Amino acid sequence: MTKELGWKVGGEQGAGIDSTGEIFAWTMHRLGYYVFAYRHFMSRIKGGHTNYKIRVADEMISHHGDELHLLVAFDQETVSVNWHEMVDGGVVISDGPMKAVDDRPVHLYEIPLTSLAKEAGSAIMKNMVAVGVTAAIIGLRPEDFLTVIEDRFAKKGQEIVDSNLNAVRKGYDYYNEHFTTRLTLPVAPPLSPNHLYISGNEAIALGALAAGCRVLAQYPITPATEVMYSLVKYLPEYGGIVVQAEDEISAVNMAIGANYGGTRSMTCTSGPGFSLMMEALGLAGMSETPLVIVDVQRSGPSTGLPTKTEQSDLYEALYGSHGEFPRIVLAPTTVEECFSYMVEAFNLAEKYQCPVIVASDLYMGMSKGSSDLLDPGIVKIERGKIVTEDQLQGVVRGQFRRYEVTEDGISPRAIPGQKGGRFIALGNEHDELGFEMEDQTMRRLQMDKRARKLAAFAELEGVAAVGTYDAELTLIGFGSTKGVIREAQEALLAQGLHVTHVQLSVLAPFPTDSLRPFVQGARALLVVEVNSQGQLASQIKLHLGCHDKIESCLKYDGDPLLVSEIVKRAKEVMTVGNPS
Amino acid sequence: MAILADFKAEKPTWCPGCGDFGVLNALQRASVELGLDPEEMVVVSGIGCSGKLSAYFGSYGLHSIHGRSLPTAQGVKLANRELTVLAAGGDGDGFGIGLGHFIHAMRRNIDITYLVMDNHIYGLTTGQTSPTSDAGMITKTAPTGAVEEPVHPLHLALVTGCGFVAQGFSGDIVQLATIVKRAIAHKGFSFVNIFSPCVTYNKQNTYEFYKSHVKKVEDDPTYDAGNRFAALERVTEANALLTGVLYEGDRVTFEDGHAKYSTKGLATQEHTLSDDDYVKLLADFR
Ligand SMILES: Cc1ncc(C[n+]2csc(CCOP(=O)(O)OP(=O)(O)O)c2C)c(N)n1
Ligand code: SF4
Ligand SMILES: [Mg+2]
């Protein structure tokens, strides 16, 4: 069993909540713990409740956890909103007098965080005082936070470092003088050499860089902007370039142009921007130009809940745009896959000369977690059927058959600048040379050629399973929900129930064959997804039937899924399925 | 060295007499005279009769979607700055559906050339009002005459800071070829608006109309193409019926403004990371 501690800080947005969370999380990570951090925030700059949940564990986790042991509250709202998560015996630190929500045995300790910070030099250091109080409660020393404090403040001078550490000490001492309650921190696991603390968005940017992407065209949008921030930092160092496009239509067309021009390029967005890209998606499909689009999904429709998570763009990723063309849709299920799937995405886009959509979401993108599994060793760049100068020898200029009808449906591709490779890439239907035409036979040949490209797709299995085919209940999810569903499965197994978990990371082409034995073998299926229509469930029904044993566990209120919600729904389904 | 025949491709299907022939012809001449290699060139076109230009010109081409030739062309250029990149399209393509991109391409100043075949009408879709249709012009979609003020592309270009603003006329290929040559040679974004008559759907803005109304700035010794505000005034006075290079000035390109952006075409290089790169990159996450 994972041993863990749930910690949260909350207050008014813009009041230093983020830095408190980051200092605590980084310190725990560096001590060797596995940390998962989820930020709850609103679409405004100042005011409104925000909180930062940090779950600290002795094993790798990819969920922020349902429970809370220690809450630092800078205002009453934090207490009111988060009280229900507190475990019995947990501690709430309140910066001033605050009221408990009920009479459960939760310690509510008033500690003058802001006044102590003022004594240490400035009220803004109240977050450091809170860190010190935390240290006292969980048995760490103020010095344990020193390296992280130095990283953050060394630029501003030793004095600032000292006063921050002093503020930590103040909180630490104050707690020890007035209170005795301690919470147990699990024993720190040995520090792994690949122990990284990284968000999905950061891993996506790194993956793109590793894949050789050197042109990013993007228009800012939460929760995808951080990918741009990372690449703004990385790309120039490797000769590449970032363009802040005027809109997402421009961004996606720039990416198409750059890929056509021979440099790996992508665009990254969230729902509203993804919708603006639909027409161009078809251009990439029809002109067979490689294209990678990352959709860090957020709650829709329209502007929806712009700072909240959702997995509701699945239909759009699978079906968006007019006409019919092949596409690949990937949904990384862990932060490591955010890295490795980006490399895959670029390889697949060039191999199959089609758009590849990487569907992440706010929860995956903006949460940060510890991982030991991100492995640059997996990176291999494969550029598909790009022709060599040798292969172009003897081709009469203008006669290069860019859209040659081949057996595997994939045609040779030339890059501008190559001698003998001249061709026109186009969105109009065309013949093998790329000339616009309306001949019915050639139309059928070209449509069938494009459709054939993915027939033999077998690059990624797309299905990660724990458990047997013949489960009483099989939980199925896709993308970012892997961690929470896995924990729900463990909870159900612990209750003696025979439950399997299958997580999909490839959604197009749909991994029908890998999924079939699980769908056919299980007594019942519970498809868990963060949307209201059961978009994944509908895909399973479409490809595998079995309508009458497929149930849904849906969440669409803006908050990420909890383990308990899945467990509860699973039990409901199993009770209905097994009347006793 | 490439000859004229090297810049020819598919046989055009434009209506006989269409102004776009003149544009194609001028671009071919300009390319030969500049000594360009057709396979080091990319023409990105939008959708419209004008958008077919990429198929008829002998370089690499990308016949994109309606209104998006500019972002696509900018993407091509960023992928390989060693290529000569042009964007081309119609007045509907560039000043209607794609107008936003036009403004941003000018302020971004990536080194590409933009040719607009401005026939004041939607040709390919058989004769609807265009954003440059003159007020009062009768079309299928404005049977009682266009009511809206037309877009003024030259004014927009001049006030947006475009570093090269010119206007040509398909009826004067020699002048147009000279303009296109200078536009391609200009470092930074260059814009050439071209009166390119649609002989089928626009009976108002005809060759005869332009021949009798258009004045060449080359013929006017007082015209100063180095003065943006003077150009704005002269273009306004002439009701935009001027041809020639109307303004040329120096501006830092987007490419040069990004000091670390590779001076060699990105597409001509391999992009892999070394073990040392990873050590450096991953240090931020430890
Ligand atoms: C998104 C979209 N909307 C509408 C069209 C239909 N359409 C094609 S060309 C065109 C207008 C063409 O006019 P212009 O750009 O002036 O080109 P011309 O044919 O006159 O050269 C339109 C409306 C389209 N192809 N795509
Ligand atoms: S319809 Fe007009 S613009 Fe189109 S080809 Fe004919 S003349 Fe040219
Ligand atoms: Mg037109």
Side-chain angles (χ1 to χ4, degrees), chain B residues 13-21 48-50 119 121-124 126 196-202:
Chain B
T13 58
W14 288 311
C15 305
C18 173
D20 295 351
F21 282 102
C49 295
S50 44
N119 54 15
I121 194 88
Y122 281 12
L124 188 66
T126 72
S196 181
C198 169
V199 294
T200 308
Y201 296 110
N202 187 340

Side-chain angles (χ1 to χ4, degrees), chain A residues 36-110:
Chain A
F36 190 93
Y38 171 70
R39 256 179 79 205
H40 170 100
F41 65 110
M42 287 174 150
S43 185
R44 56 198 263 190
I45 305 302
K46 289 269 182 195
H49 175 68
T50 183
N51 67 58
Y52 211 143
K53 167 84 187 272
I54 316 283
R55 185 182 181 202
V56 180
D58 61 353
E59 282 183 341
M60 206 123 45
I61 44 173
S62 42
H63 183 245
H64 61 294
D66 291 17
E67 294 183 335
L68 204 47
H69 301 88
L70 177 48
L71 174 66
V72 178
F74 285 111
D75 58 13
Q76 175 65 45
E77 193 178 356
T78 300
V79 177
S80 310
V81 170
N82 299 289
W83 184 268
H84 69 280
E85 289 179 25
M86 293 302 300
V87 297
D88 287 357
V91 178
V92 177
I93 301 301
S94 71
D95 184 17
M98 292 179 201
K99 280 198 290 292
V101 171
D102 55 35
D103 53 9
R104 282 179 40 232
V106 172
H107 308 284
L108 177 60
Y109 296 152
E110 184 183 333

Side-chain angles (χ1 to χ4, degrees), chain B residues 9 16 20 24 40 49 60 114 128 204 209 223 230 244 261 270 284:
Chain B
D20 295 351
L24 175 64
E40 300 281 341
C49 295
Y60 276 91
Y114 185 33
Q128 301 84 21
Q204 202 169 308
F209 171 82
Y223 192 91
Y261 172 51
E270 300 249 318
D284 283 352

Side-chain angles (χ1 to χ4, degrees), chain A residues 62 80 106 121 137 153 281 306 316 332 396 472 480 499 501 520 550 553-554 561 563 570:
Chain A
S62 42
S80 310
V106 172
I137 298 174
F153 300 111
L281 197 60
E316 190 176 29
V396 177
E472 259 179 281
S480 68
V499 175
H501 168 209
Q520 291 182 345
I550 296 178
C553 173
L554 304 171
L561 272 164
V563 175

Side-chain angles (χ1 to χ4, degrees), chain A residues 297-316:
Chain A
Q297 299 167 87
R298 68 187 204 185
S299 157
S302 190
T303 310
L305 300 166
T307 60
K308 299 292 181 297
T309 198
E310 215 160 82
Q311 298 182 302
S312 51
D313 296 352
L314 178 58
Y315 286 157
E316 190 176 29

